[in-house]
Amino acid sequence: MSTAVWLIPAFPLAGALVNALLGRVTGRRAHLVAVPALAASFAAAALVFSRVWSGEVFTGSLYPWITAGAFKTAVSVQVDQLSAIMLLVVTGVGFLIHVYSVGYMHDDPGYARFFTYLNLFVFSMTMLVLASNYLLLYVFWEAVGLCSYLLIGFWYERPAAAQAGKKAFIVNRVGDFGFGLGVMWLWTALGTLDYAGVFARAGTLTPAAATGITLLLFMGACGKSAQLPLHTWLPDAMEGPTPVSALIHAATMVTAGVYMVARSHVLFERSGVALEVVAWVGAATALFAATIGLVQTDIKRVLAYSTISQLGYMFAAVGVGAYAAGIFHLVTHAFFKALLFLGAGSVIHALHGEQDLRRMGGLAPRMVPTAVTMTIGALGLAGVPGLAGFFSKDAILEAAYEGHHLGLWSVLLLGAALTSFYTFRLLFLTFYCAPHMSRESAHHVHESPPVMTVPLAVLAVLTVVAGFAVGIPTAEGTAFARFLAPVFPVEAGEHGGFAAYALLLLSVIVVAAGFLLAGLFYMSRAAIPETMGRPKNPLHALLYDAWYVDRLYDVLVVRPILAVSVFLAGVFDTTVLDGAVNGVGRAVVEWAQGLRRLQTGYVVNYALTMLLGAVAIIGFLLAR
């Protein structure tokens, strides 16, 4: 098992190195290196998963890393049920997106560079999941942030893409600053950073210390997983290529925060307060982002705000102690949201770069495979009964209700209603309402090649079968929860009774209401005026401009820092610092110029000086 574990990150790392060093040679054939590397990594992950399924776990060290006094750490990995599931998601979905990228990026001049970044990202993400200590986790936490920066700003010649990459990097640094402090506090409090040692000694922490540590760790999770108030980078990250949005900002990187909180549940439970904070931040983010998604007109930005909202559901789940439900939603979300992003990419590809929902419509007859698969993804996101998203979202709502978090449950239920509405709105505007594109654009609409549609079909199948396969609830929990029982113990008797069926019925009603309202507003030509997207009232303006959060940050943070920086550069630096340096220089020059007057060049002056010196010395000696 150990060999297979180390091969999981080794294959994508090798692919990244080959394309990075030999990119001019591989060129348009870079996918022949990158895609097989991901296929091999997925095969190794599947082998490891099969061994974990049979009851094995693995902990191993590659080599000692840092030894400084009492501080010792190694590059070591840990494979258990949780990491085995995450590895399958990262490498499996990653492989499908690599295949899709062959068609989507086929004519891009940075083809080899793109696959280098993708392979490097998967390597970093697998190492983040495999890490068995918080320091190694932190290193690859930063590595996936670097890869995110490189991929968001891949088209760096576009100012918007370059700005989006910088924004993602800077906002994540804010959260990661807290994460780093939390890791350092862990070491000073417990004397170890290994998961096993930390969790074994967590009981020795005072609740106050545990709260401080976990809230700092959660600060990093808010940045990486785009939760309030560090969510603003993810919608702008849509400036990157669509496969990047599917891989990093839907299926893998943004879920790292959820994985970290779930992995650290022993610490969070020691605090108690921290879990409540996690739950409410997640619920608030879920509702907040859903309201913004109602009115967006860019197809990728709708999906971006949907991602932020669904990540909020995951955090709400782990916050109420439903860890298995949160991770299950992470997995199902990876399937249907990657499907939706790749489907959106297929639409954008067919419309030659068009992303505005107001210039789409009527695409279903012309793009049948994309329309069918993307419809399945949308139904999964909306929570239509029978699909994976229904099972995972219902498990979260039920956990909140059964845990007597009624306020939390109400917020999440309202968010589910809004999710259904904006999901069907996107679906109708793209495929099923009357066409709103130009005749020239409509004439050139074409279905994407099989290399792009086959991954869509695979993800659609996973969206259909995942819920039935492992998500059907029983008195002993779902099959998914039972598999994770060694990591997150299952609470028996959670399901059943009138309340459970009433909640299930309510979830169905919420989905149906969203469908009916979206159909009422957007399935007729008259309901889609040319002014759609232009604020009609203050509430519409508030939601369309994302609650003015970016403007608020600009006023409270960006402009003051810029003003202080300009002052320091233009006034303090030139007047005080340069003045001090130049003043020293002028003093030396003036002192030297004064000394020059003593050097007259006349012998008589020097002889007189020597005489006066001799008289002074004799006078000094006589005075003694």
Side-chain angles (χ1 to χ4, degrees), residues 85 323-329 331 469-471 477-485:
I85 288 174
Y323 306 112
I327 297 299
F328 185 40
H329 195 56
V331 174
V470 296
T478 63
F480 190 86
R482 293 196 298 272
F483 175 72
L484 287 174

Side-chain angles (χ1 to χ4, degrees), residues 3 60 100 107-108 174 242 297 307 369 414 504 535 551 596 601 610:
T3 302
Y100 177 96
D107 59 350
D108 195 281
V174 175
T242 300
T297 56
T307 297
L414 178 57
L504 189 66
R551 293 192 188 186
R596 285 178 58 195
M610 293 172 64

Side-chain angles (χ1 to χ4, degrees), residues 525-540:
R525 183 185 297 270
I528 312 175
E530 292 296 326
T531 57
M532 189 178 80
R534 298 179 183 176
K536 304 174 182 63
N537 53 61
L539 177 61
H540 190 183

Side-chain angles (χ1 to χ4, degrees), residues 4 39 59 64 83 104 138 161 202 241 283 307 367 424-425 434 515 547 549 553 611:
T59 301
S83 52
Y104 192 86
Y138 181 71
T307 297
M367 303 180 67
F424 286 112
R425 170 182 179 266
F515 171 80
W547 291 76
V549 174
Y553 284 169
L611 177 62

